[in-house]
Amino acid sequence: MEPNRIFIPLLLTLILGACSKQKERANTSYAHIEQRIDSVAKDFIDGGKVKGLSIAVLSNGKTIYNKGFGFMDSSEVKPVTNQSVFLMASISKLIGSVVVMKLVEEGRLNLDQTLYELLPDFPNEKQAKKISLRSMLSHTSGLQDYASEIDTLFIKTGIAPSKEDFYNFFRERDLLFEPGEDYSYCNSGFLLMSMIIERITGNTYQSEIDRVVNLPAGLNLKLIAETVDNPNTSNYFELTNSGLEPRPHWTWIKGDGGLTTTSLDLAHFPSKWNSGSIISHESVKEMIKPTILNDGVETGYGLGVRSGIFAGLKMIGHTGGNKTLLSKMVYFPEKDITIVVFVNTDNTSSNARSVFGEVALTILDEDVPDYSEDEIIGEHLKIYEGVYDYKGYKFDTNISIMLNPEDSHLYYCSSETECEKMYNLGNGEFWIEKWPLDKIVFDITDTGEVRALREYYIGYYVMLRKKKG
């Protein structure tokens, strides 16, 4: 018998055996991941603070996890399934920004056009002439957030606000700051964005989302106004002193929120968006790039895009919520991994951000970090001391950074009695043990001047606080 005739079957046996073992190891690994995420999700449900949640994880375009837990309804007869539709909330901002970038590519919009050019009937001409579309998509317009008043009014009356209601709000409000001078997370700019899209195209906002995103990507992102009667659409709840209480869907929201979908459908969006199949690679880069303020301070927000670092990996995407987080979409481009978490319960500490943190640690095979032994000792810390201010309506406006001479550590103080020890990791980056997945990063000039700090919550940039004085 010829040698090759012996060698080839033997080689095939070895290869097939190796492939079989590799597949077995992969299946074991995925089974382990599934068990761990199942356990995480059940803990949140069993705690009684979340009525229902849905999780989807994609790796290299393949689904490695997708499950629902809990219920969609008060009577608990409709369990959450993989077909359950949830509120995307402010993740909708990223989708709307993609539509804007498509219109820019088509020559129908320009990011540096003013609100005065784009919405000539805007009630405050002076403000409109200096607010650009770019500043609205980056939360640097200085507009006050309509939600501070109109949301409250809607809760009291149940009457959906009209365009005139929004315009009356803007007519009577000064800017928080001049455009480009600061960062303040603001729903108003994205509300106006949806009006601009409809005016420029002559189409409904939903039809432009269908044209630009849904059809090319094969997705089904729909406004809550269109899905509210869908039997697969989850109800919405709020945790109160009386327990979990149902709340009505706000079907009038558009631009700053309002979109709905399943967790798996949304998990398919980032890789398609980032691949250039929806908008160009150049447009994607423009969206992801952090905004630089007029004074050179960098925010961690692009054009409808949050960014950050988790377990040493770059992450992009967005979050969405009301009182607490209802949704979180994270894409790790270096690993082509997407994680989406939806919950249907508001005002609870057991929110989408917390669920994501535990799921991400599982997927990336990481432990909860402890940087206390990695801190840099002896660095001059007094430059960081001071009061740092955030301009907005949902968060504390001021925090203090104080140096304790007894232990030579900085402390993050939200009040005189609530201070957390900060561990110095170098390059203006600090870690706080109480919030192990969060970080604080100071903005420092080449001359050593500290101008601001950025706060990152479980990976994502959330707010910018400028140093006072």
Side-chain angles (χ1 to χ4, degrees):
M1 185 177 289
E2 294 177 9
N4 283 346
R5 291 182 180 174
I6 300 172
F7 175 73
I8 290 172
L10 178 61
L11 180 62
L12 287 172
T13 302
L14 291 172
I15 290 172
L16 291 172
C19 288
S20 176
K21 288 180 181 179
Q22 225 174 21
K23 186 174 181 181
E24 185 180 334
R25 282 197 297 271
N27 289 338
T28 302
S29 175
Y30 284 148
H32 179 58
I33 286 173
E34 183 175 10
Q35 291 168 4
R36 287 182 62 182
I37 298 179
D38 283 354
S39 178
V40 167
K42 288 173 182 175
D43 283 346
F44 279 95
I45 294 295
D46 292 344
K49 294 181 178 179
V50 174
K51 179 67 76 172
L53 61 89
S54 180
I55 302 168
V57 183
L58 293 187
S59 177
N60 297 309
K62 296 181 180 179
T63 305
I64 63 172
Y65 189 91
N66 186 208
K67 281 190 181 181
F69 298 84
F71 295 91
M72 296 193 297
D73 61 326
S74 298
S75 54
E76 298 191 349
V77 297
K78 296 175 67 176
V80 175
T81 70
N82 290 344
Q83 286 69 50
S84 297
V85 173
F86 282 77
L87 294 170
M88 288 169 53
S90 284
I91 296 176
S92 306
K93 291 179 171 69
L94 194 159
I95 307 302
S97 298
V98 168
V99 175
V100 167
M101 296 308 294
K102 188 66 173 181
L103 293 173
V104 169
E105 291 177 6
E106 295 169 348
R108 302 164 79 182
L109 281 177
N110 185 308
L111 291 172
D112 296 318
Q113 283 180 284
T114 65
L115 185 54
Y116 179 73
E117 297 171 86
L118 299 170
L119 284 180
D121 62 342
F122 186 78
N124 192 316
E125 182 178 323
K126 184 179 178 182
Q127 291 181 7
K129 285 184 174 179
K130 54 188 175 182
I131 293 173
S132 69
L133 179 56
R134 185 188 302 274
S135 70
M136 288 190 288
L137 301 187
S138 59
H139 300 296
T140 60
S141 67
L143 285 165
Q144 292 200 34
D145 200 320
Y146 80 80
S148 63
E149 179 176 299
I150 290 181
D151 283 5
T152 303
L153 188 62
F154 172 71
I155 291 170
K156 288 181 179 178
T157 66
I159 301 172
S162 65
K163 181 178 179 180
E164 189 58 32
D165 291 328
F166 291 122
Y167 273 14
N168 285 337
F169 174 86
F170 295 125
R171 183 180 289 111
E172 299 167 1
R173 297 296 186 284
D174 294 331
L175 295 179
L176 291 172
F177 46 81
E178 289 299 299
E181 286 191 356
D182 210 334
Y183 170 94
S184 181
Y185 189 88
C186 180
N187 292 294
S188 297
F190 287 85
L191 163 77
L192 296 171
M193 172 202 71
S194 66
M195 295 181 187
I196 289 167
I197 289 172
E198 292 188 334
R199 178 179 178 272
I200 292 298
T201 65
N203 300 322
T204 65
Y205 186 60
Q206 178 65 66
S207 65
E208 281 300 293
I209 290 171
D210 290 339
R211 178 182 76 89
V212 175
V213 179
N214 285 336
L215 290 176
L219 302 179
N220 191 35
L221 314 181
K222 295 292 183 180
L223 289 167
I224 184 63
E226 296 197 16
T227 60
V228 67
D229 295 325
N230 181 342
N232 286 327
T233 299
S234 174
N235 290 343
Y236 166 53
F237 303 89
E238 182 176 349
L239 181 64
T240 69
N241 292 333
S242 303
L244 293 176
E245 297 186 3
R247 294 286 185 260
H249 283 301
W250 296 12
T251 55
W252 51 269
I253 291 183
K254 186 167 58 176
D256 53 312
L259 287 174
T260 66
T261 193
T262 64
S263 60
L264 186 60
D265 222 28
L266 185 58
H268 278 287
F269 169 78
S271 60
K272 295 182 179 183
W273 161 57
N274 197 50
S275 71
S277 60
I278 299 176
I279 55 176
S280 69
H281 287 292
E282 291 72 22
S283 293
V284 173
K285 289 177 183 177
E286 185 73 20
M287 290 182 69
I288 293 171
K289 182 174 62 180
T291 302
I292 307 295
L293 301 179
N294 296 342
D295 59 3
V297 171
E298 180 183 304
T299 76
Y301 198 94
L303 302 177
V305 180
R306 291 195 188 279
S307 60
I309 300 288
F310 187 94
L313 294 172
K314 179 181 178 181
M315 54 189 275
I316 54 175
H318 215 285
T319 56
N322 184 30
K323 294 179 179 178
T324 55
L325 218 63
L326 297 168
S327 59
K328 187 159 182 170
M329 176 184 70
V330 172
Y331 180 58
F332 296 103
E334 295 158 286
K335 287 189 173 288
D336 195 13
I337 290 175
T338 301
I339 300 174
V340 170
V341 176
F342 283 141
V343 301
N344 61 9
T345 309
D346 197 13
N347 198 33
T348 168
S349 59
S350 303
N351 59 45
R353 181 181 288 126
S354 305
V355 178
F356 162 79
E358 296 199 36
V359 171
L361 289 173
T362 297
I363 294 297
L364 300 174
D365 196 23
E366 296 282 347
D367 295 323
V368 176
D370 181 352
Y371 296 111
S372 58
E373 294 183 359
D374 299 329
E375 70 170 324
I376 295 173
I377 306 296
E379 187 177 289
H380 182 55
L381 300 177
K382 199 164 182 63
I383 61 169
Y384 301 109
E385 278 195 304
V387 176
Y388 292 79
D389 178 55
Y390 172 79
K391 289 182 170 63
Y393 82 99
K394 275 199 172 185
F395 300 95
D396 296 331
T397 54
N398 294 332
I399 60 99
S400 296
I401 302 295
M402 302 173 63
L403 179 62
N404 184 343
E406 294 183 5
D407 65 4
S408 299
H409 278 86
L410 291 176
Y411 281 77
Y412 177 101
C413 301
S414 54
S415 70
E416 290 185 4
T417 58
E418 296 183 21
C419 293
E420 299 296 332
K421 186 176 183 180
M422 301 168 65
Y423 292 87
N424 180 18
L425 304 182
N427 298 317
E429 187 175 302
F430 289 80
W431 176 78
I432 295 174
E433 188 174 10
K434 183 178 180 180
W435 306 302
L437 297 176
D438 300 351
K439 283 187 181 176
I440 292 171
V441 180
F442 289 89
D443 185 276
I444 309 170
T445 67
D446 293 338
T447 59
E449 177 191 1
V450 177
R451 299 178 294 185
L453 63 79
R454 295 187 298 275
E455 296 188 7
Y456 293 81
Y457 297 172
I458 310 191
Y460 272 150
Y461 162 81
V462 172
M463 71 173 73
L464 179 82
R465 298 184 189 271
K466 283 203 167 184
K467 192 175 185 179
K468 297 182 73 173

